Amino acid sequence: TFLKRPEPGFSRFREAEKVWRGPLGYSLDDYYRDLRRGGYSIARFHDGAFAWEDVEREKGVFDWSKMDVIEAGLRKNGLDPMFVFASHGVFRTKAHGDGNETNWFVRVNSRRGGLGVMSKGKKRERLVYYHPRDTDWTDWVTAVVSRYHKTIRYWEIVNEPNGTVESAAAYAHYAELCYKAVKAIDPDSVVLGVCSTGDLGLDAASFFREAGEAGAFKWLDAASFHPYQQPLDVPGKDGERALENLRRICDKYRPGVPLWDTEVYYINAFTPEQTEAFKRYRKNPKDPTARPRPDAARLRSWPAGNLIKRYAIDLGGNCVASTPLQRDQHLAMGAGRETSELELGVIGIPPVFAVNDRYFANAAFARYLEGAKFLCKPDLPNGFNGFVFRDRHGQMVALVWRRPGEDPASLRCPVGAVVRDLYGNRITRAAIDISAEPVYFFLTDDKSMAFAK
């Protein structure tokens, strides 16, 4: 057999235990309050946090206690929850059967699909795919939506199914069941689907096409994606071009359907050449053609400007929203791939809540551009990139930065413009130094978009 039956009372340890509690010495209520103060408005239940097998341990037996506390705390502090139906434990498990992904609907009431292989870096995992019974899946969706539909408006169908579901056809089938079950209870809810990722060696655009061919676009109100392959404006993996490609695919199968980036996470700005050089360095540090990537440590703690540039790319591509993983955006500990709280305690560093540069940059972006509309690309000298938006008050705002690999350079301040840095501090110089971190230009009229070195 591939799976071991869990012991009585078995409960899988999951990341959600850390994500959805306040850091030590910090109440959950204060944690949510400060997320909202930092400009966050949606809290996504990432990767099936409080997943099916955790809430419904056996058929028809539910434990809502943790979700009730979380839902109430988010609602009290003005944060909208986004619930994700199913993570990898629902539709696939590791072939070696260590029991970590075991759940009752796989153990008892599921059809086994095919055997596949997923590559994670140098490691290759053998996976067994499962198909929960239609009635079990529909009953689970109905139970969750029935309990929380008055306060949860956003529902996403499976996290990253191009790595967790056997095929796009299987995904389309479960998406249809999920969509119909949600809408039967709350017709005004927003159901997001596809949720394709470019992480873990996967191709987001390919699954968009496959899902479209399988009919999945009928069963969503917005198409979601995770832009790991092309996160920024790096040559060779340009996020703007990738977003345009997703838009074209969407319009082929569902013209005008909204796009939503539901996972902004560990964004770096290394070119393909820099990445390959670093790989050679890892294999042979004495290789004269190899060298570490610039600021390689920022893979674990990437700069705040990258977060804001991704927001700008999404907003410029007419995405409905960009949803970061909140814990990873604002905690001083880093970008999620960091030393754990327990490990920090062991080495004598108190694991306390402390905001970082991303928290303040996020707050400034929310203040200036939440609800803004894309107007145009500004006419900029070579080596610069940027967007012009109309903010919710009607003012034109340009966000400008230097492209990756370019040295900092200066722009003359447009006539009458008010200039602010990444965190909202005003800049009063006539010549504005521009680096990889974006700068805000609050413009007076169309003529003030005349940027020049």
Side-chain angles (χ1 to χ4, degrees), residues 99-359:
N100 287 340
E101 314 303 334
T102 304
N103 45 61
W104 64 267
F105 42 83
V106 165
R107 188 173 72 245
V108 179
N109 292 317
S110 181
R111 303 187 311 278
R112 196 170 82 187
L115 181 69
V117 177
M118 172 182 269
S119 176
K120 294 181 68 175
K122 295 182 179 179
K123 182 179 179 182
R124 292 173 65 83
E125 291 183 327
R126 295 178 69 244
L127 306 170
V128 181
Y129 292 100
Y130 285 88
H131 302 158
R133 288 197 311 188
D134 291 359
T135 52
D136 291 334
W137 173 248
T138 300
D139 288 348
W140 160 241
V141 173
T142 299
V144 177
V145 180
S146 296
R147 188 172 186 87
Y148 297 111
H149 71 92
K150 292 183 179 180
T151 52
I152 298 182
R153 297 183 295 159
Y154 306 112
W155 309 91
E156 192 169 31
I157 309 173
V158 186
N159 184 61
E160 302 185 347
N162 55 329
T164 59
V165 180
E166 183 180 14
S167 66
Y171 176 75
H173 173 70
Y174 287 102
E176 178 180 358
L177 296 175
C178 185
Y179 185 87
K180 289 180 176 178
V182 173
K183 293 294 184 176
I185 299 166
D186 184 7
D188 296 325
S189 62
V190 177
V191 179
L192 294 93
V194 184
C195 193
S196 184
T197 184
D199 201 5
L200 304 174
L202 301 169
D203 187 340
S206 294
F207 191 77
F208 259 66
R209 296 187 190 92
E210 294 165 7
E213 291 295 326
F217 278 83
K218 299 177 185 176
W219 313 113
L220 50 84
D221 299 312
S224 55
F225 67 98
H226 299 168
Y228 293 114
Q229 282 173 309
Q230 299 98 354
L232 297 173
D233 54 344
V234 176
K237 50 178 183 177
D238 193 308
E240 292 179 59
R241 306 289 84 77
L243 192 51
E244 291 171 1
N245 186 41
L246 291 184
R247 179 74 271 166
R248 285 191 292 269
I249 297 171
C250 287
D251 287 343
K252 177 179 179 180
Y253 299 105
R254 180 82 176 274
V257 66
L259 268 171
W260 193 322
D261 180 353
T262 57
E263 194 168 306
V264 179
Y265 192 38
Y266 60 91
I267 302 175
N268 64 60
F270 303 124
T271 65
E273 292 77 16
Q274 290 171 331
T275 301
E276 288 304 314
F278 183 73
K279 288 179 180 178
R280 293 197 301 273
Y281 172 81
R282 291 290 297 271
K283 291 181 180 179
N284 180 15
K286 296 182 179 180
D287 184 345
T289 68
R291 60 184 176 85
R293 285 168 286 190
D295 296 323
R298 290 194 176 186
L299 277 176
R300 293 162 62 91
S301 182
W302 35 267
N306 285 3
L307 173 66
I308 303 309
K309 285 187 282 188
R310 183 65 225 186
Y311 287 169
I313 288 170
D314 287 342
L315 191 58
N318 292 312
C319 284
V320 173
S322 306
T323 308
L325 302 186
Q326 285 84 351
R327 176 197 67 177
D328 306 299
Q329 304 307 325
H330 71 263
L331 289 181
M333 292 177 190
R337 309 282 188 187
E338 289 284 354
T339 307
S340 71
E341 290 184 6
L342 178 61
E343 290 168 334
L344 286 171
V346 169
I347 62 176
I349 301 176
V352 296
F353 179 97
V355 297
N356 60 16
D357 55 348
R358 292 187 291 280
Y359 180 90

Side-chain angles (χ1 to χ4, degrees), residues 411-419 427-432 441 448 450-452:
L411 286 178
R412 289 201 302 269
C413 181
V415 176
V418 173
V419 187
I427 302 172
T428 57
R429 297 184 298 275
I432 310 300
F441 292 85
S448 67
F451 293 93

Side-chain angles (χ1 to χ4, degrees), residues 47-74:
D47 204 17
F50 305 99
W52 186 1
E53 63 268 35
D54 290 340
V55 176
E56 189 181 10
R57 296 289 179 82
E58 295 296 338
K59 177 68 174 177
V61 179
F62 299 94
D63 178 3
W64 304 106
S65 56
K66 292 180 182 178
M67 281 187 62
D68 283 349
V69 171
I70 292 163
E71 180 271 334
L74 293 171

